[in-house]
Amino acid sequence: MPGPVTALTFPAGHVLVGTMPIRKTLAFAVVTGGAVTESAQLPGAGNLIAGDPREARVAVAEAGKSWLEIVSPADQTMSKVTVNGGIVALAIDRDHGGVLVAPRIQTH
């Protein structure tokens, strides 16, 4: 890997995806052949990741922040979403085609 990895997921396909918070990127390791590539820069230090072995995309976020990137490991496209509150957990909901996000919402 190009840097220290803190979390891994193995979505559908043959690409292992790891978060590299220090570099603010993702690592994509092709299982067959071993090629490793690195994503474009994330909005922050991605340290939360969710994937499903039956779904071809992953979700990555930074704990306590409001940004979320939906990533396709096959072509490394990324789509940013912002949610209300700081994200504390993620999960893929393959049956409904979405990402479940657990935010901590600040109240005054």
Side-chain angles (χ1 to χ4, degrees):
M1 295 295 185
V5 173
T6 61
L8 294 168
T9 189
F10 191 51
H14 303 285
V15 180
L16 181 67
V17 183
T19 59
M20 296 189 299
I22 293 171
R23 296 172 69 92
K24 296 182 181 175
T25 60
L26 298 174
F28 301 101
V30 178
V31 175
T32 306
V36 177
T37 57
E38 190 170 2
S39 75
Q41 199 84 51
L42 295 167
N47 55 12
L48 298 173
I49 194 165
D52 183 306
R54 301 163 296 174
E55 174 63 46
R57 65 201 160 121
V58 300
V60 63
E62 182 177 359
K65 304 295 182 181
S66 61
W67 65 267
L68 169 73
E69 289 275 354
I70 308 302
V71 181
S72 171
D75 60 10
Q76 298 183 21
T77 56
M78 302 191 321
S79 177
K80 184 180 173 188
V81 177
T82 303
V83 300
N84 290 329
I87 298 170
V88 296
L90 301 172
I92 298 291
D93 181 2
R94 185 179 68 92
D95 292 337
H96 295 97
V99 177
L100 302 172
V101 178
R104 177 174 291 132
I105 299 174
Q106 300 293 329
T107 60
H108 294 78

